């Protein structure tokens, strides 16, 4: 099919693949579907009639689903005209509360980190796909997978925490203090008011998660994991200047 060209030179039909981040009702039968796509970035589109029981692809447009799409460019919202499931990650996590809540927190984070619609964000898309796949495989604790995703998503967005040097002066060393608002670990000279002193094992775990050292992360103890989760959540939300509401439901005990 040859795509129809609009007067402004834009292509009205386009294909992409994406992960469904969330949906919301529109009218009596439609939904607004928010997706993070491979090529286009963050997209909000209308799925017409998807709430009807006889909808052709309503079940394919559920959160945690990786879909191949055809969309029609609209004036305010695009319209989904075709949807095929590539993989449903929701099926693998919905039966386990800790994995399910971790997945929902990832979806909300992806939407808020990318933020600007139709601004390509390939690395964020690939990161989300990888995190959901790892979560579904259940090879690691769901809390570790979530924290690794949050740290790496922050890094891709350009505000990775300083873990090997002072966030303020850049001096390298085994600095004990961590200041969320300063950007990570800080030396004794630069330590601001409000800095905390996490256990060395906690800081090591953060480095392992950010760097992808799963052997080290899997060997971590419960106390380090809990403290790490608190620091990661606080760090992300400070830099986003917007809370991740679903984090409050994540099982962290």
């Amino acid at each position: 099919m040859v795509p129809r060209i609009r007067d402004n030179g834009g292509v009205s039909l386009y294909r992409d693949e994406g992960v469904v981040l969330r949906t919301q009702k529109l009218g009596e039968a439609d939904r607004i579907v928010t997706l993070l796509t491979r090529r286009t970035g963050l997209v909000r589109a209308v799925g017409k009639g998807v709430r009807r029981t006889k909808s052709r692809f309503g079940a394919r447009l559920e959160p945690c689903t990786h879909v191949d799409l055809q969309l029609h460019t609209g004036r305010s919202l695009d319209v989904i005209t075709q949807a095929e499931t590539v993989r449903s990650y929701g099926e693998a996590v919905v039966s386990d509360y800790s994995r399910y809540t971790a997945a929902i927190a990832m979806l909300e984070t992806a939407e808020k980190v990318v933020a600007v619609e139709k601004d390509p964000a390939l690395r964020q898309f690939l990161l989300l796909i990888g995190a959901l796949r790892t979560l579904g495989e259940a090879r690691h604790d769901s809390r570790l997978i979530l924290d690794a995703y949050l740290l790496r998503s922050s890094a891709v967005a350009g505000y990775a925490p300083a873990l090997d040097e002072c966030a303020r002066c850049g001096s390298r060393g085994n600095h004990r203090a961590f200041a969320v608002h300063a950007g990570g670990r800080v030396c004794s000279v630069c330590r601001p008011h409000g800095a905390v002193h996490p256990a060395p094992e906690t800081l090591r775990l953060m480095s392992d998660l950010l760097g992808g050292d799963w052997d080290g992360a899997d060997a971590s103890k419960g106390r380090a994991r809990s403290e790490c989760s608190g620091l990661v959540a606080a760090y992300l939300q400070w830099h986003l200047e917007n809370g991740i509401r679903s984090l409050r439901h994540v099982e962290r005990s």
Side-chain angles (χ1 to χ4, degrees):
M1 176 182 295
V2 178
R4 179 166 55 87
I5 307 299
R6 299 191 304 179
D7 292 340
N8 64 3
V11 178
S12 64
L13 279 176
Y14 66 97
R15 296 199 71 90
D16 209 337
E17 60 177 291
V19 176
V20 178
L21 304 181
R22 67 184 174 98
T23 64
Q24 57 194 112
K25 294 179 181 179
L26 179 65
E28 295 186 358
D30 305 339
R31 279 198 184 118
I32 298 175
V33 183
T34 302
L35 308 110
L36 180 58
T37 66
R38 175 182 287 272
R39 289 179 290 276
T40 314
L42 192 68
V43 172
R44 289 182 173 87
V46 176
K48 291 186 175 295
V50 297
R51 289 163 54 203
R52 297 192 181 103
T53 56
K54 295 183 179 180
S55 169
R56 292 175 301 156
F57 49 78
R60 304 169 196 167
L61 297 174
E62 293 293 333
C64 285
T65 307
H66 182 187
V67 287
D68 182 81
L69 302 157
Q70 179 175 274
L71 303 99
H72 183 280
T73 304
R75 291 184 178 179
S76 57
L77 293 171
D78 294 351
V79 178
I80 299 169
T81 57
Q82 292 181 12
E84 297 294 336
T85 301
V86 177
R87 183 169 180 178
S88 177
Y89 296 101
E91 295 176 357
V93 303
V94 70
S95 61
D96 183 277
Y97 181 78
S98 62
R99 282 190 287 162
Y100 174 75
T101 54
I104 296 302
M106 290 176 185
L107 301 183
E108 184 182 355
T109 299
E111 181 177 359
K112 291 185 176 178
V113 167
V114 177
V116 179
E117 292 187 37
K118 296 192 174 180
D119 184 17
L122 176 60
R123 292 179 66 192
Q124 291 287 358
F125 170 80
L126 295 175
L127 183 64
L128 180 60
I129 287 288
L132 290 173
R133 181 174 60 248
T134 303
L135 196 63
E137 293 170 350
R139 290 186 296 170
H140 309 286
D141 183 272
S142 59
R143 173 176 49 185
L144 294 178
I145 298 170
L146 172 60
D147 289 340
Y149 170 75
L150 298 179
L151 284 167
R152 295 177 192 178
S153 181
S154 298
V156 170
Y159 42 86
L163 296 175
D164 298 317
E165 68 283 326
C166 175
R168 288 191 164 175
C169 70
S171 63
R172 300 186 69 85
N174 190 27
H175 307 308
R176 289 292 311 277
F178 188 97
V180 167
H181 53 291
R185 296 176 78 164
V186 286
C187 67
S188 57
V189 176
C190 298
R191 183 178 65 238
H193 178 74
V196 296
H197 293 78
E201 294 79 11
T202 300
L203 296 171
R204 188 179 309 120
L205 175 57
M206 291 182 71
S207 294
D208 290 342
L209 293 174
L210 184 58
D213 182 355
W214 283 107
D215 288 338
D218 289 336
S220 62
K221 304 300 182 182
R223 179 179 176 182
R225 295 183 185 190
S226 296
E227 192 171 34
C228 174
S229 292
L231 286 178
V232 171
Y235 183 86
L236 175 70
Q237 294 181 100
W238 171 271
H239 287 275
L240 285 180
E241 299 181 353
N242 201 344
I244 305 297
R245 291 182 297 176
S246 52
L247 282 177
R248 72 187 68 171
H249 303 296
V250 173
E251 187 175 276
R252 295 179 181 272
S253 59

